[in-house]
Amino acid sequence: MSHKSYVEGLVFDIRRYSVHDGPGIRTTVFFKGCPLECAWCHNPEGIRPDMEIINRRHILNGKTYLYKEVVGNLKTSGEIFNIIEKDRIFYEESEGGATFSGGEPLMQPEFLRELIGMCRKAGIHTAVDTSGHASARDFTAVLNSDLLLYDIKSANPVKHKEWTGKGNELILKNLRSVAREGPFLIIRIPLVPGFNSEEAEITAIRDLLVPLKSRIIRIDILPFHNLGVRKYIDTGRKRSMKTDVTPTGDEIDMALQIFTDKGFEAKMGA
Amino acid sequence: MTERVRQLRKQSVEAENRLDHERALLVTRFYSDIVNTEHPVPVQRALCFKYILENRKLWIGENELIVGERGPMPKATSTYPEVNLHSLKDLDILDSRPKVSFKVTEETRRIYRDYIIPFWQGKTNRDKLMAIMTPAWKKAYEAGIFTEFQEQRAPGHTVLGRKPWLKGMNDLIEECQESMERLQFETDPDAFAKRDELEAMQISAKAIIKFAWRHAGMLEKLAAKETNPVRKDEMLHMARICRRVPANAPRTFHEALQHYWFIHLGVITELNPWDSFSPGRLDQHLPGFYMKDIDNFSLNREQARELLQCFWIKFNNHPAPPKMGITAQESNTYTDFTLVNLGGVKEDGSDAVNELSFLILEVINEMKLLQPGSMIQVSKKNPDIFIHKALDIIRSGFGQPSVFNTDAIIQELLRQGKTIEDARNGGASGCVEAGAFGTEAYILTGYFNLPKILELTLSNGFDKRTNAQIGPETGDPLNFKCFDDLLSAFKKQVEYFADIKINGNRSIEELFSKNLPVPFLSLLTEDCIANGLDYNSGGARYNTGYIQGVGLGSVTDSLTALRFHVFGNKTFSMEKLLEALNADFKGYDDMQRSLVFNTPKYGNDDDYADEQAVSTFNIFFNSVDGRACYRGGKYHINMLPTTCHIYFGSVTGAMPDGRNSGTPLSEGISPVQGVDTNGPTAVLKSASKIDHIKTGGTLLNQKFTPSFFEDSESYNKITALIRSWFRLDGHHIQFNVISSETLRDAQKHPEKYRDLIVRVAGYSDYFNDLGEDLQNEIIKRTEQATG
């Protein structure tokens, strides 16, 4: 089945055999452009909503060759769908599917809506990995998907703004709306020392989520990892994260405990 | 692991490989002093077998439960001068080569110098073989177009079927008698030859019975001297077993294992068949004995485990017979490719996984020995838990068991003309080769260097390395107008060399049939007795010859590069490309970068690139499949390299895929090392575009770090990956769970590891894309996981 479509979108990567972005074996499509600018972002090349030049290197016979590459491809939804469909047999065996991630997929709501629709029609499970930062109208684009991987970073709007560039009002509003109808949720919490790894911070997030518990499949605690550094260098983007301290085992255990205490399923990583 | 097993395992692992002259000396004595040349050849061979078994030293190790060695002690490895003769120089090389060396004593050197070499010089099967090969064959062989398995090893590649597990040698002797009585001397011109062969089989059967009795005698003597009453009882029990099997059908679990082990020793003493010998579907043959013993309380699960472990150690005591000549320097596999099959389906098509399948997996996990190799057959009917138990072993990075598609193997065997029952009783042996166990002689005959043939196509049949015109003139590549011109020239070259290879094979088959029949192996292979025909003469129910294609990824990417850059985009001309290849890309850095990094590559689920894999596969398949063997039966292809992609790479010049001269080719049907950058599902999709069902086996390796096996969710994902691959008719997959050393190498040589995906933290990334700190951390984590 080949699809032609004129809805175009900007993506910066498509990764097959993605096994950490939802159930089963998945293909993850990374949308380019994000309204937030999280200090710890490990995909900085996904932030700008347009094409950009990135430095790359080839190594051959011990020699390193530097070259420039354009990050961001304008693709039609049909082109993307054709790639997603290539691994259908793997989705069937593993109960996997497609995940739309980024960047922020909701920055391109029509493109997202179209892709979810195409997958749905073809019987392919869809998940959207979102920050939730979108207008209520744009946010309806996710309602047809099967699963949301919904990031919650902080319950505190001031801190949220300080560390991500935006407050959390839209995020929490959309979260409440999706808790009434639409897809089930996996909540993803980046655990970042100095930002949200303290007990009070995590507890505040948990208390926000308690009323929505029946819609939440699981809580994923994602410990901050100092690995996007090279990508910052390659993209020439300034890195605002001041520290490279990663969460301790105790901090991670505590975060998990806070959720399991209230009957949530919580685990580290994806 | 019991203390006994721990000790025996330790001894086996630590024993030194030795090249042992005992068998060679006995064979030499037999042929110089004892043989009666009036006897028909099969009878001579059987009497030689008998002479060896009667006169060789026995070995019974301390606390062993299964007895018998090929040589006078564990890892003392026999040679086979009637097949090929080691020179004194070969002995020196074997003694001193850095990997898998074989110690050679002064006594062995002296015996070789004074007896064995003078007698066999110029008279070995290898000498005869080289004498009858055509000049065209020799040129191609020397240029590295193909190898020849039977040059140093006898045809073999056999697996014991069900029948000999349920019969004693006395039953088989009786069957030979019945077959003899059916001979029609008036009407059948071959009746006399059949009688001779059947007589030879009977001599061999009696010889192995006596050999077991010798062990019984020795055990009785040792028992008489033994002061520990427990061990004394054990030895007397073992002596009774050796008196009973293999003469009679085994009745108990212990008897069954010892029965097989004597048979195994018989096969590898008679000659040195390529790929040793295999017990086959062990978890199908043993449950009858196991359940009976459990039911009458004569055995419990732990005792069965210990017996299996002792059985495992026996295999590990037997390295592959050492090679001679150039290959003594190059080939250093310890493994003799015994392969235990688990799982799959029963003869009636139902799920064959049972209690023994799981017990044996536990044994494999505890033993972690190179030999015997192990594999699981996975049918759509087998439960996921069976795969999960295998993943428990795979995740440790041990490289076993490999994973095979039963449903594909059955289709492959059916296509080749087996009955559905014989196909279901089959499996894979050696590396990945499909066969009907117990009923088929499927002989691997040599690797076939597909990239080298493309290299020759680009030089109009002339080989630069050996400086000779070895292929036909299929046109100056500068005159090729389109990609199809190139492809049809390549096709002519492949056909030419396939003809040479197959014609050579047929002469070699004849040589073994006439000079080196194997009456003992024939006893075990249906329908040799009924047909009165030797295994090496087409006596088996099914006869097959295989030629193994090597370098699919390399040749595919080279053809794609030509199609893409020279004929399609005209990035550069054929002339410039040939110049660069001649210069091994020296001074052509930009072109090489373009070829390596900016060309569609096989393994990424990109039809443009994968089309060349399909064309190459079809050209090779059409050149070989269905051609007649000398023994009856047909030739087929499979796609596997063992380690030959390294040797073939060493004789192959620079290629249009950007590969430098002399470097390894791609292995099996895997993509060229590191070019598959779209993940494992894309590799599987690409590799499924060739028709596995038309082969007798393909080999696919996939690298993973241990983190992909860390919890039940990841087990489910890997299981789904396997199931999907098998729905696509993939024949085999092996998971190489990579070690921290591999990751360190990847830090040094990133270009070879562009495909390497590692789990970072909640997500995965290409190892190459990580900063050095993080790479180091992942190395540390991998070290912890694999221990």
Side-chain angles (χ1 to χ4, degrees):
Chain A
M1 187 164 38
S2 190
H3 281 264
K4 285 214 162 58
S5 163
Y6 294 100
V7 181
E8 282 193 326
L10 192 66
V11 300
F12 69 92
D13 199 3
I14 299 173
R15 189 157 291 187
R16 293 165 68 175
Y17 197 69
S18 167
V19 291
H20 317 294
D21 296 323
I25 294 171
R26 314 189 69 83
T27 295
T28 300
V29 181
F30 293 88
F31 287 47
K32 193 156 160 49
C34 186
L36 307 185
E37 209 170 323
C38 305
W40 59 84
C41 182
H42 58 63
N43 281 332
E45 74 275 33
I47 297 175
R48 267 176 57 181
D50 48 23
M51 296 186 201
E52 61 191 297
I53 304 289
I54 186 167
N55 291 313
R56 293 280 209 179
R57 58 189 77 67
H58 283 150
I59 299 176
L60 188 63
N61 302 330
K63 273 190 251 173
T64 302
Y65 302 88
L66 295 174
Y67 67 100
K68 308 249 180 234
E69 195 178 78
V70 176
V71 176
N73 276 306
L74 216 45
K75 297 251 189 208
T76 68
S77 50
E79 286 172 319
I80 301 278
F81 179 78
N82 288 340
I83 296 171
I84 291 171
E85 213 198 7
K86 279 171 178 270
D87 279 351
R88 174 191 282 279
I89 200 164
F90 300 94
Y91 312 148
E92 287 177 8
E93 289 295 328
S94 67
E95 299 182 12
T99 298
F100 304 106
S101 181
E104 170 52 62
L106 283 168
M107 285 269 283
Q108 304 178 61
E110 291 319 306
F111 186 51
L112 178 64
R113 206 185 295 274
E114 170 103 354
L115 278 169
I116 291 172
M118 283 172 140
C119 288
R120 226 187 149 72
K121 214 164 132 191
I124 294 173
H125 180 276
T126 55
V128 182
D129 181 5
T130 178
S131 70
H133 187 92
S135 69
R137 194 195 133 105
D138 287 349
F139 190 74
T140 58
V142 305
L143 293 182
N144 261 336
S145 71
D146 298 296
L147 176 70
L148 288 186
L149 309 172
Y150 206 111
D151 288 12
I152 299 290
K153 290 144 187 140
S154 174
N156 177 336
V158 179
K159 224 169 178 181
H160 200 281
K161 186 160 192 333
E162 189 186 326
W163 283 74
T164 73
K166 296 276 162 48
N168 61 3
E169 295 81 0
L170 273 179
I171 295 170
L172 298 182
K173 192 173 147 225
N174 285 326
L175 179 68
R176 279 181 212 108
S177 80
V178 83
R180 286 191 298 273
E181 54 162 351
F184 282 92
L185 298 156
I186 290 176
I187 302 293
R188 308 231 255 187
I189 303 174
L191 194 67
V192 184
F195 168 54
N196 68 357
S197 65
E198 279 159 35
E199 189 174 355
E201 288 289 335
I202 298 295
T203 308
I205 294 176
R206 186 211 46 209
D207 293 344
L208 275 177
L209 296 176
V210 167
L212 319 174
K213 200 173 147 228
S214 64
R215 310 282 305 169
I216 295 174
I217 299 171
R218 200 177 68 216
I219 310 289
D220 285 347
I221 301 291
L222 309 175
F224 163 71
H225 216 288
N226 166 30
L227 60 97
V229 182
R230 172 122 156 220
K231 287 180 177 174
Y232 280 91
I233 299 166
D234 292 345
T235 47
R237 179 175 278 276
K238 213 170 141 259
R239 185 160 170 268
S240 54
M241 192 77 179
K242 297 286 180 278
T243 164
D244 285 340
V245 178
T246 56
T248 63
D250 284 349
E251 280 175 307
I252 295 164
D253 289 345
M254 181 196 68
L256 293 171
Q257 182 81 44
I258 288 168
F259 283 98
T260 52
D261 277 352
K262 291 281 175 192
F264 286 97
E265 192 192 327
K267 61 182 266 193
M268 188 183 101
Chain B
M1 213 184 292
T2 61
E3 189 49 37
R4 178 207 312 271
V5 171
R6 205 186 317 279
Q7 281 301 324
L8 289 170
R9 185 185 181 283
K10 186 162 178 273
Q11 282 166 17
S12 179
V13 170
E14 290 174 2
E16 195 174 46
N17 295 336
R18 273 184 41 192
L19 185 145
D20 185 78
H21 61 257
E22 185 185 50
R23 183 192 178 282
L25 185 59
L26 289 170
V27 171
T28 307
R29 271 207 202 120
F30 177 82
Y31 278 101
S32 65
D33 305 343
I34 294 162
V35 72
N36 178 349
T37 49
E38 304 279 291
H39 283 150
V41 173
V43 172
Q44 285 180 30
R45 290 301 304 163
L47 290 171
C48 177
F49 179 67
K50 177 168 176 269
Y51 181 75
I52 298 168
L53 295 182
E54 282 174 352
N55 291 288
R56 42 155 300 196
K57 285 192 218 72
L58 302 186
W59 166 271
I60 290 169
E62 208 178 318
N63 285 323
E64 279 193 317
L65 290 176
I66 308 288
V67 294
E69 287 288 324
R70 173 174 52 189
M73 65 177 70
K75 292 195 180 171
T77 308
S78 302
T79 55
Y80 303 77
E82 66 270 54
V83 179
N84 71 79
L85 180 63
H86 291 84
S87 68
L88 292 173
K89 190 173 161 225
D90 291 333
L91 299 183
D92 288 340
I93 291 170
L94 288 166
D95 188 54
S96 62
R97 70 182 181 187
K99 283 187 181 166
V100 197
S101 62
F102 285 83
K103 286 294 150 221
V104 183
T105 62
E106 269 319 304
E107 190 195 3
T108 296
R109 280 199 179 79
R110 184 176 58 74
I111 287 170
Y112 255 83
R113 192 190 62 212
D114 297 346
Y115 297 97
I116 298 171
I117 293 173
F119 183 81
W120 290 103
Q121 196 115 54
K123 284 196 286 197
T124 68
N125 198 66
R126 185 173 193 274
D127 295 320
K128 290 175 192 154
L129 184 154
M130 288 300 172
I132 57 172
M133 290 297 112
T134 61
W137 187 95
K138 282 183 185 150
K139 272 203 260 180
Y141 177 74
E142 278 153 23
I145 304 290
F146 48 69
T147 63
E148 177 47 61
F149 279 24
Q150 268 71 66
E151 161 241 354
Q152 299 199 23
R153 300 283 300 259
H157 210 279
T158 42
V159 181
L160 201 64
R162 181 192 307 279
K163 190 178 121 183
W165 287 90
L166 303 175
K167 300 245 177 186
M169 287 294 146
N170 287 330
D171 302 316
L172 299 178
I173 290 169
E174 186 59 32
E175 275 186 35
C176 290
Q177 202 59 38
E178 287 162 14
S179 183
M180 249 186 248
E181 280 157 20
R182 282 196 304 272
L183 292 173
Q184 302 289 325
F185 289 93
E186 286 111 63
T187 51
D188 181 357
D190 297 327
F192 290 100
K194 290 178 181 173
R195 184 197 59 196
D196 297 341
E197 173 69 26
L198 289 164
E199 198 190 324
M201 290 187 204
Q202 290 179 321
I203 296 168
S204 310
K206 286 175 192 157
I208 201 81
I209 294 172
K210 287 242 180 75
F211 181 62
W213 290 352
R214 285 185 67 205
H215 283 83
M218 184 165 167
L219 281 161
E220 285 152 5
K221 269 191 213 135
L222 288 169
K225 281 187 267 172
E226 178 62 55
T227 50
N228 177 343
V230 177
R231 178 61 183 162
K232 190 187 192 83
D233 273 2
E234 240 171 39
M235 286 200 278
L236 290 173
H237 180 61
M238 286 154 64
R240 284 192 294 276
I241 289 174
C242 295
R243 294 245 176 249
R244 171 142 191 110
V245 296
N248 305 290
R251 296 164 304 182
T252 66
F253 192 73
H254 194 163
E255 283 180 3
L257 293 176
Q258 183 67 64
H259 176 75
Y260 174 79
W261 188 247
F262 280 126
I263 288 174
H264 187 96
L265 288 179
V267 172
I268 65 173
T269 298
E270 183 176 45
L271 274 184
N272 60 350
W274 184 282
D275 277 358
S276 184
F277 194 58
S278 285
R281 306 274 300 273
L282 210 49
D283 63 343
Q284 305 312 300
H285 303 314
L286 292 175
F289 304 109
Y290 177 77
M291 291 317 294
K292 207 173 98 198
D293 288 1
I294 294 270
D295 284 349
N296 64 29
F297 302 105
S298 57
L299 183 84
N300 63 38
R301 197 172 190 272
E302 289 316 301
Q303 289 166 328
R305 178 199 304 276
E306 187 178 44
L307 283 166
L308 281 167
Q309 290 177 332
C310 290
F311 187 62
W312 242 245
I313 289 163
K314 279 288 158 191
F315 288 94
N316 198 61
N317 284 348
H318 293 80
K323 300 272 188 67
M324 53 153 293
I326 310 170
T327 40
Q329 215 150 11
E330 285 167 358
S331 166
N332 50 20
T333 54
Y334 173 84
T335 299
D336 205 16
F337 296 99
T338 287
L339 189 65
V340 170
N341 280 229
L342 300 174
V345 296
K346 295 185 198 168
E347 191 173 283
D348 64 5
S350 60
D351 174 14
V353 170
N354 61 57
E355 167 62 14
L356 257 291
S357 320
F358 292 106
L359 178 59
I360 294 171
L361 282 172
E362 289 168 31
V363 166
I364 294 163
N365 202 9
E366 283 181 272
M367 288 289 96
K368 293 262 166 66
L369 290 169
L370 279 176
Q371 281 283 280
S374 59
M375 62 88 113
I376 57 165
Q377 285 196 30
V378 174
S379 151
K380 54 185 184 273
K381 290 176 181 163
N382 298 135
D384 282 353
I385 180 73
F386 176 56
I387 301 175
H388 291 185
K389 292 288 175 195
L391 292 177
D392 281 341
I393 311 173
I394 291 168
R395 66 182 288 184
S396 66
F398 175 50
Q400 289 186 28
S402 48
V403 186
F404 285 78
N405 182 354
T406 302
D407 306 313
I409 288 175
I410 291 173
Q411 285 187 73
E412 291 160 20
L413 294 175
L414 288 175
R415 190 192 79 85
Q416 297 173 358
K418 277 97 180 171
T419 67
I420 185 71
E421 289 81 10
D422 287 339
R424 285 172 178 157
N425 283 330
S429 60
C431 290
V432 297
E433 302 85 81
F437 293 174
T439 51
E440 182 177 16
Y442 49 118
I443 313 300
L444 268 67
T445 66
Y447 299 112
F448 198 72
N449 190 345
L450 293 162
K452 178 80 192 175
I453 296 176
L454 180 60
E455 186 195 1
L456 290 174
T457 310
L458 294 176
S459 57
N460 205 0
F462 185 81
D463 181 39
K464 285 165 257 177
R465 196 181 64 91
T466 55
N467 199 24
Q469 182 72 31
I470 63 166
E473 291 186 5
T474 46
D476 181 343
L478 296 180
N479 299 331
F480 293 153
K481 294 206 168 47
C482 59
F483 181 64
D484 281 348
D485 287 353
L486 170 77
L487 213 53
S488 76
F490 176 58
K491 178 166 176 273
K492 280 184 202 136
Q493 297 280 354
V494 171
E495 285 167 351
Y496 172 80
F497 289 112
D499 279 353
I500 291 181
K501 176 67 181 152
I502 289 173
N503 289 334
N505 282 354
R506 292 168 56 85
S507 313
I508 295 166
E509 288 178 66
E510 186 184 11
L511 207 56
F512 275 96
S513 168
K514 299 232 161 97
N515 299 332
L516 289 174
V518 278
F520 184 70
L521 179 54
S522 305
L523 270 174
L524 310 166
T525 311
E526 294 182 83
D527 302 314
C528 292
I529 297 177
N531 293 333
L533 256 181
D534 193 84
Y535 181 91
N536 281 348
S537 303
R541 188 174 306 161
Y542 308 107
N543 290 284
T544 303
Y546 277 122
I547 298 174
Q548 299 84 243
V550 173
L552 183 69
S554 296
V555 72
T556 296
D557 287 353
S558 295
L559 284 167
T560 303
L562 286 156
R563 181 180 167 197
F564 185 75
H565 290 295
V566 175
F567 296 103
N569 291 356
K570 303 200 162 37
T571 331
F572 26 78
S573 66
M574 179 69 91
E575 197 178 357
K576 272 271 166 265
L577 177 68
L578 295 179
E579 275 174 33
L581 295 179
N582 275 325
D584 195 19
F585 298 113
K586 272 183 201 77
Y588 295 84
D589 292 11
D590 286 346
M591 187 193 285
Q592 191 179 16
R593 273 180 68 204
S594 231
L595 292 168
V596 171
F597 297 108
N598 300 324
T599 311
K601 300 281 183 180
Y602 167 72
N604 294 294
D605 198 9
D606 172 351
D607 285 338
Y608 183 94
D610 298 343
E611 274 166 22
Q612 279 64 251
V614 175
S615 312
T616 304
F617 176 86
N618 288 338
I619 287 170
F620 181 46
F621 174 82
N622 289 325
S623 306
V624 173
D625 189 76
R627 313 263 311 257
C629 300
Y630 168 82
R631 299 165 289 132
K634 287 178 177 153
Y635 276 96
H636 301 295
I637 61 165
N638 36 40
M639 305 295 282
L640 67 105
T642 317
T643 56
C644 200
H645 60 296
I646 296 170
Y647 163 65
F648 276 172
S650 74
V651 296
T652 305
M655 293 291 286
D657 66 341
R659 174 191 150 281
N660 280 109
S661 177
T663 58
L665 302 174
S666 64
E667 50 86 25
I669 55 166
S670 311
V672 169
Q673 293 78 350
V675 304
D676 47 318
T677 54
N678 279 345
T681 59
V683 173
L684 299 182
K685 285 289 297 294
S686 282
S688 73
K689 291 174 194 173
I690 62 167
D691 189 348
H692 293 241
I693 303 303
K694 286 176 163 176
T695 72
T698 59
L699 183 144
L700 183 75
N701 276 314
Q702 275 287 290
K703 283 198 275 292
F704 284 92
T705 53
S707 60
F708 284 90
F709 297 83
E710 67 188 7
D711 54 17
S712 65
E713 206 181 315
S714 45
Y715 269 36
N716 287 334
K717 286 174 187 179
I718 296 280
T719 301
L721 194 71
I722 294 168
R723 297 273 192 199
S724 309
W725 171 230
F726 289 176
R727 263 178 77 186
L728 293 166
D729 284 344
H731 173 89
H732 155 275
I733 184 165
Q734 173 158 330
F735 295 96
N736 291 327
V737 176
I738 58 168
S739 62
S740 45
E741 292 90 85
T742 309
L743 293 174
R744 285 206 185 88
D745 193 52
Q747 268 184 322
K748 276 185 225 134
H749 307 284
E751 71 274 20
K752 282 197 280 177
Y753 294 93
R754 282 195 285 151
D755 58 331
L756 187 57
I757 301 172
V758 293
R759 177 158 180 174
V760 184
Y763 82 103
S764 311
D765 211 334
Y766 288 100
F767 188 71
N768 279 355
D769 286 345
L770 304 174
E772 204 185 329
D773 290 359
L774 195 63
Q775 287 184 341
N776 288 338
E777 183 176 327
I778 285 170
I779 290 172
K780 219 161 59 192
R781 247 191 270 160
T782 305
E783 257 163 7
Q784 284 158 1
T786 46

